Amino acid sequence: MTLDRRKFLAGASLMGAAATLGLNRPAFAASEKMLGNGKITILSDGHMSFPTDFMYPDVADDAMNALLTDHNLPTDRLEPPCNLTLYQTGDRTILFDVGGGSQFLPTTGQLPDALDAIGLSPEDITDVIFTHAHPDHLWGLLDDFDDLLFPEANYYISEPEWAFWTDPETVNNVREDQQGLAVGSKRRLEILSDQITLFKPESEMLSGIYAHDTSGHTPGHCSFEIRNGSDQLLVLGDALAHPFISFEHPEWPFGQDISTERSIITRKRLLDFLATRQMELIGYHLPHPGFGRAERHDSAYRFVAT
Protein backbone atom coordinates (compact mmCIF):
# COMPACT_ATOMS: atom_id res chain seq x y z
CA MET A 1 0.00 0.00 0.00
CA THR A 2 2.82 2.44 0.81
CA LEU A 3 4.55 1.88 -2.52
CA ASP A 4 1.29 2.22 -4.42
CA ARG A 5 0.54 5.50 -2.63
CA ARG A 6 4.03 6.81 -3.45
CA LYS A 7 3.63 5.85 -7.10
CA PHE A 8 0.25 7.55 -7.26
CA LEU A 9 1.59 10.75 -5.70
CA ALA A 10 4.59 10.74 -7.99
CA GLY A 11 2.53 10.34 -11.13
CA ALA A 12 -0.03 12.91 -10.02
CA SER A 13 2.67 15.44 -9.16
CA LEU A 14 4.47 15.23 -12.49
CA MET A 15 1.29 15.06 -14.57
CA GLY A 16 -0.04 18.07 -12.70
CA ALA A 17 3.12 20.02 -13.43
CA ALA A 18 2.95 19.00 -17.09
CA ALA A 19 -0.66 20.14 -17.32
CA THR A 20 0.24 23.49 -15.81
CA LEU A 21 2.88 24.00 -18.49
CA GLY A 22 0.58 22.83 -21.26
CA LEU A 23 2.73 19.75 -21.88
CA ASN A 24 1.81 16.14 -22.44
CA ARG A 25 4.60 14.01 -21.05
CA PRO A 26 4.75 10.75 -19.10
CA ALA A 27 5.53 10.68 -15.41
CA PHE A 28 9.17 9.97 -14.56
CA ALA A 29 10.41 11.05 -17.99
CA ALA A 30 14.18 10.90 -17.72
CA SER A 31 16.54 13.28 -19.51
CA GLU A 32 19.79 11.82 -20.76
CA LYS A 33 22.97 13.05 -22.39
CA MET A 34 26.37 11.58 -23.06
CA LEU A 35 29.46 12.85 -21.27
CA GLY A 36 32.47 11.43 -23.03
CA ASN A 37 31.82 7.69 -22.97
CA GLY A 38 29.66 8.00 -19.87
CA LYS A 39 25.96 8.77 -19.60
CA ILE A 40 24.18 11.33 -17.44
CA THR A 41 20.53 10.74 -16.58
CA ILE A 42 18.40 13.20 -14.63
CA LEU A 43 15.69 11.66 -12.47
CA SER A 44 12.95 13.46 -10.58
CA ASP A 45 12.36 12.92 -6.88
CA GLY A 46 9.36 15.24 -7.09
CA HIS A 47 9.26 18.85 -5.96
CA MET A 48 8.93 21.06 -2.91
CA SER A 49 6.61 23.96 -2.16
CA PHE A 50 7.29 26.73 0.35
CA PRO A 51 6.15 30.33 0.85
CA THR A 52 8.51 32.78 -0.83
CA ASP A 53 9.00 34.79 2.37
CA PHE A 54 10.01 31.59 4.19
CA MET A 55 12.72 30.86 1.64
CA TYR A 56 13.90 34.48 1.35
CA PRO A 57 12.80 36.22 4.56
CA ASP A 58 15.47 38.94 4.39
CA VAL A 59 14.73 40.15 0.85
CA ALA A 60 12.39 43.14 0.52
CA ASP A 61 8.96 42.07 -0.72
CA ASP A 62 8.77 44.71 -3.45
CA ALA A 63 12.14 43.70 -4.92
CA MET A 64 11.31 39.98 -4.82
CA ASN A 65 7.82 40.47 -6.23
CA ALA A 66 9.16 42.60 -9.07
CA LEU A 67 11.74 39.97 -10.04
CA LEU A 68 9.30 37.07 -9.95
CA THR A 69 6.61 39.02 -11.80
CA ASP A 70 9.11 39.94 -14.51
CA HIS A 71 9.63 36.22 -15.09
CA ASN A 72 5.91 35.40 -14.98
CA LEU A 73 6.22 33.45 -11.75
CA PRO A 74 3.86 33.50 -8.76
CA THR A 75 5.06 35.73 -5.96
CA ASP A 76 3.64 33.87 -2.97
CA ARG A 77 5.23 30.43 -3.35
CA LEU A 78 8.34 28.77 -4.73
CA GLU A 79 8.05 25.20 -6.00
CA PRO A 80 11.55 23.96 -6.81
CA PRO A 81 11.96 20.59 -8.51
CA CYS A 82 14.34 17.96 -7.14
CA ASN A 83 16.63 16.80 -9.95
CA LEU A 84 18.81 13.81 -9.16
CA THR A 85 21.93 13.13 -11.24
CA LEU A 86 22.75 9.55 -12.22
CA TYR A 87 26.14 8.97 -13.85
CA GLN A 88 26.96 5.66 -15.53
CA THR A 89 30.54 5.05 -16.59
CA GLY A 90 32.28 1.70 -17.03
CA ASP A 91 31.03 -0.61 -14.30
CA ARG A 92 29.95 2.24 -11.99
CA THR A 93 26.42 3.58 -11.54
CA ILE A 94 26.82 6.71 -9.43
CA LEU A 95 23.98 8.65 -7.83
CA PHE A 96 24.46 12.20 -6.57
CA ASP A 97 22.14 12.63 -3.55
CA VAL A 98 19.17 10.39 -2.85
CA GLY A 99 16.15 12.70 -2.65
CA GLY A 100 13.82 13.35 0.23
CA GLY A 101 12.22 9.96 0.70
CA SER A 102 8.67 9.32 1.85
CA GLN A 103 9.22 10.83 5.32
CA PHE A 104 10.09 14.36 4.17
CA LEU A 105 7.25 15.79 2.06
CA PRO A 106 4.30 14.14 0.28
CA THR A 107 5.63 15.56 -3.00
CA THR A 108 9.09 13.97 -2.66
CA GLY A 109 10.22 10.36 -2.48
CA GLN A 110 9.67 9.51 -6.15
CA LEU A 111 13.22 8.31 -6.84
CA PRO A 112 12.54 4.53 -6.55
CA ASP A 113 9.80 4.82 -9.17
CA ALA A 114 12.00 6.98 -11.39
CA LEU A 115 14.75 4.36 -11.25
CA ASP A 116 12.26 1.61 -12.04
CA ALA A 117 11.05 3.58 -15.06
CA ILE A 118 14.53 3.43 -16.62
CA GLY A 119 15.03 -0.23 -15.79
CA LEU A 120 17.24 0.10 -12.72
CA SER A 121 16.75 -1.09 -9.16
CA PRO A 122 18.28 0.46 -6.01
CA GLU A 123 20.64 -2.53 -5.87
CA ASP A 124 22.19 -1.38 -9.17
CA ILE A 125 23.59 1.79 -7.57
CA THR A 126 27.31 1.29 -6.88
CA ASP A 127 28.11 4.69 -5.37
CA VAL A 128 26.17 7.48 -3.66
CA ILE A 129 27.81 10.90 -3.37
CA PHE A 130 26.19 13.54 -1.17
CA THR A 131 26.43 17.24 -1.96
CA HIS A 132 25.17 17.94 1.57
CA ALA A 133 22.88 16.54 4.24
CA HIS A 134 19.66 18.55 3.98
CA PRO A 135 16.52 16.36 3.99
CA ASP A 136 15.67 16.70 0.29
CA HIS A 137 19.14 15.35 -0.54
CA LEU A 138 19.65 12.77 2.22
CA TRP A 139 16.43 11.42 3.69
CA GLY A 140 15.77 9.15 0.70
CA LEU A 141 18.61 7.04 2.06
CA LEU A 142 16.11 4.79 3.89
CA ASP A 143 13.09 2.89 2.64
CA ASP A 144 9.72 2.71 4.36
CA PHE A 145 11.09 0.10 6.80
CA ASP A 146 14.11 2.23 7.76
CA ASP A 147 16.47 -0.07 5.86
CA LEU A 148 19.08 1.26 3.45
CA LEU A 149 17.46 1.78 0.07
CA PHE A 150 20.79 1.29 -1.72
CA PRO A 151 22.29 -1.72 0.06
CA GLU A 152 25.12 -2.37 -2.43
CA ALA A 153 26.39 1.21 -2.64
CA ASN A 154 29.53 2.88 -1.38
CA TYR A 155 28.76 6.24 0.27
CA TYR A 156 30.73 9.49 0.24
CA ILE A 157 30.38 12.87 1.97
CA SER A 158 32.81 15.68 2.76
CA GLU A 159 34.59 15.73 6.11
CA PRO A 160 33.19 19.11 7.25
CA GLU A 161 29.65 18.10 6.28
CA TRP A 162 29.88 14.88 8.27
CA ALA A 163 31.42 16.67 11.27
CA PHE A 164 28.67 19.30 11.35
CA TRP A 165 25.62 17.04 11.14
CA THR A 166 26.93 14.31 13.46
CA ASP A 167 27.96 16.79 16.14
CA PRO A 168 25.46 16.41 19.04
CA GLU A 169 25.58 20.19 19.57
CA THR A 170 24.39 21.04 16.06
CA VAL A 171 20.73 20.68 16.99
CA ASN A 172 21.25 23.38 19.64
CA ASN A 173 23.09 25.71 17.28
CA VAL A 174 20.70 25.85 14.33
CA ARG A 175 17.50 27.86 14.10
CA GLU A 176 14.48 26.41 15.83
CA ASP A 177 12.75 25.65 12.52
CA GLN A 178 15.80 23.59 11.45
CA GLN A 179 16.14 21.48 14.59
CA GLY A 180 13.91 18.69 13.31
CA LEU A 181 15.89 18.33 10.11
CA ALA A 182 19.15 18.35 12.11
CA VAL A 183 17.92 15.42 14.22
CA GLY A 184 16.71 13.51 11.16
CA SER A 185 19.91 14.04 9.21
CA LYS A 186 22.10 13.05 12.16
CA ARG A 187 20.17 9.80 12.60
CA ARG A 188 20.50 8.86 8.93
CA LEU A 189 24.20 9.65 8.72
CA GLU A 190 24.92 7.64 11.84
CA ILE A 191 23.37 4.60 10.17
CA LEU A 192 26.17 4.94 7.59
CA SER A 193 28.95 5.41 10.15
CA ASP A 194 30.67 2.09 9.37
CA GLN A 195 30.42 2.29 5.60
CA ILE A 196 30.80 5.90 4.53
CA THR A 197 33.98 7.41 3.11
CA LEU A 198 34.88 10.98 4.02
CA PHE A 199 36.76 13.18 1.60
CA LYS A 200 38.32 16.63 1.69
CA PRO A 201 36.80 19.41 -0.44
CA GLU A 202 38.97 20.55 -3.37
CA SER A 203 40.09 17.02 -4.18
CA GLU A 204 39.46 14.30 -6.74
CA MET A 205 37.33 12.17 -4.45
CA LEU A 206 36.73 9.48 -7.10
CA SER A 207 38.44 8.96 -10.43
CA GLY A 208 37.10 11.62 -12.79
CA ILE A 209 35.04 13.37 -10.08
CA TYR A 210 36.42 16.51 -8.42
CA ALA A 211 34.80 17.97 -5.30
CA HIS A 212 34.60 21.77 -5.36
CA ASP A 213 34.17 23.55 -2.03
CA THR A 214 30.84 25.37 -2.35
CA SER A 215 30.21 25.72 1.38
CA GLY A 216 27.88 28.23 2.96
CA HIS A 217 24.54 26.63 2.29
CA THR A 218 25.92 24.04 4.71
CA PRO A 219 29.43 23.93 6.21
CA GLY A 220 30.63 21.11 3.96
CA HIS A 221 28.50 21.58 0.86
CA CYS A 222 30.34 20.41 -2.28
CA SER A 223 29.59 20.61 -5.99
CA PHE A 224 31.05 17.91 -8.22
CA GLU A 225 32.84 18.38 -11.51
CA ILE A 226 32.49 15.22 -13.58
CA ARG A 227 35.23 14.80 -16.16
CA ASN A 228 35.08 12.22 -18.93
CA GLY A 229 37.48 12.60 -21.83
CA SER A 230 37.37 16.23 -22.93
CA ASP A 231 33.86 16.72 -21.51
CA GLN A 232 32.95 18.06 -18.09
CA LEU A 233 29.97 19.38 -16.20
CA LEU A 234 29.24 20.54 -12.65
CA VAL A 235 26.64 18.97 -10.36
CA LEU A 236 25.68 22.00 -8.27
CA GLY A 237 23.63 20.68 -5.41
CA ASP A 238 22.08 23.78 -3.78
CA ALA A 239 24.93 26.22 -4.44
CA LEU A 240 22.63 27.93 -6.97
CA ALA A 241 19.07 27.21 -5.93
CA HIS A 242 16.86 29.36 -8.19
CA PRO A 243 17.11 30.08 -11.93
CA PHE A 244 16.47 33.81 -11.53
CA ILE A 245 17.13 34.80 -7.92
CA SER A 246 20.49 33.04 -7.57
CA PHE A 247 21.79 34.20 -10.95
CA GLU A 248 20.46 37.76 -11.13
CA HIS A 249 20.87 38.57 -7.44
CA PRO A 250 23.54 36.32 -5.91
CA GLU A 251 23.90 38.92 -3.16
CA TRP A 252 20.36 38.29 -1.87
CA PRO A 253 20.41 36.17 1.30
CA PHE A 254 18.80 32.74 1.02
CA GLY A 255 16.94 31.79 4.18
CA GLN A 256 18.02 28.14 4.09
CA ASP A 257 21.75 28.92 4.06
CA ILE A 258 23.52 28.17 7.32
CA SER A 259 26.13 30.85 6.66
CA THR A 260 24.63 33.78 4.76
CA GLU A 261 27.92 35.62 4.26
CA ARG A 262 29.79 32.54 3.09
CA SER A 263 26.99 31.56 0.71
CA ILE A 264 26.98 34.94 -1.02
CA ILE A 265 30.74 34.71 -1.55
CA THR A 266 30.33 31.17 -2.90
CA ARG A 267 27.53 32.10 -5.32
CA LYS A 268 29.48 35.00 -6.79
CA ARG A 269 32.66 32.96 -7.13
CA LEU A 270 30.83 30.00 -8.61
CA LEU A 271 28.95 32.09 -11.16
CA ASP A 272 32.17 33.72 -12.30
CA PHE A 273 33.80 30.29 -12.62
CA LEU A 274 30.91 28.83 -14.63
CA ALA A 275 30.53 31.83 -16.91
CA THR A 276 34.26 32.08 -17.57
CA ARG A 277 34.66 28.39 -18.40
CA GLN A 278 31.21 28.05 -20.00
CA MET A 279 30.91 24.76 -18.18
CA GLU A 280 27.58 23.01 -18.34
CA LEU A 281 25.84 22.61 -14.99
CA ILE A 282 23.11 20.57 -13.40
CA GLY A 283 21.03 22.35 -10.78
CA TYR A 284 19.17 20.26 -8.22
CA HIS A 285 16.45 22.89 -7.92
CA LEU A 286 16.69 24.51 -11.36
CA PRO A 287 13.93 23.86 -13.90
CA HIS A 288 13.77 20.17 -14.73
CA PRO A 289 15.96 18.55 -15.93
CA GLY A 290 18.39 21.17 -14.58
CA PHE A 291 20.90 21.27 -17.46
CA GLY A 292 22.19 24.74 -18.33
CA ARG A 293 24.94 27.32 -18.33
CA ALA A 294 25.61 30.60 -16.57
CA GLU A 295 26.12 33.64 -18.79
CA ARG A 296 27.13 37.15 -17.82
CA HIS A 297 24.23 39.54 -18.23
CA ASP A 298 24.21 43.25 -17.37
CA SER A 299 25.91 43.48 -13.97
CA ALA A 300 25.08 39.91 -12.95
CA TYR A 301 24.27 36.59 -14.66
CA ARG A 302 21.49 34.63 -16.23
CA PHE A 303 20.65 30.93 -16.40
CA VAL A 304 20.43 29.49 -19.90
CA ALA A 305 18.88 26.04 -20.14
CA THR A 306 20.62 23.57 -22.45
Side-chain angles (χ1 to χ4, degrees), residues 129-130 156-160 197-201 203 205 211 222 224:
I129 302 174
F130 295 109
Y156 306 86
I157 198 169
S158 76
E159 290 179 358
T197 298
L198 306 183
F199 62 84
K200 296 182 183 298
S203 70
M205 46 79 58
C222 285
F224 297 95

Side-chain angles (χ1 to χ4, degrees), residues 181-259:
L181 71 85
V183 171
S185 293
K186 181 176 184 291
R187 181 174 74 86
R188 286 165 175 81
L189 287 177
E190 287 178 339
I191 291 173
L192 293 177
S193 60
D194 293 331
Q195 58 194 104
I196 196 163
T197 298
L198 306 183
F199 62 84
K200 296 182 183 298
E202 300 299 331
S203 70
E204 186 176 44
M205 46 79 58
L206 283 179
S207 178
I209 301 178
Y210 187 88
H212 288 268
D213 180 354
T214 49
S215 55
H217 183 61
T218 61
H221 186 289
C222 285
S223 300
F224 297 95
E225 183 177 343
I226 306 175
R227 303 163 177 169
N228 193 312
S230 60
D231 295 342
Q232 62 275 318
L233 59 75
L234 192 68
V235 180
L236 286 175
D238 285 4
L240 299 170
H242 192 277
F244 305 118
I245 301 170
S246 301
F247 287 76
E248 297 181 28
H249 288 283
E251 78 282 3
W252 283 2
F254 179 36
Q256 303 311 301
D257 290 338
I258 288 177
S259 173

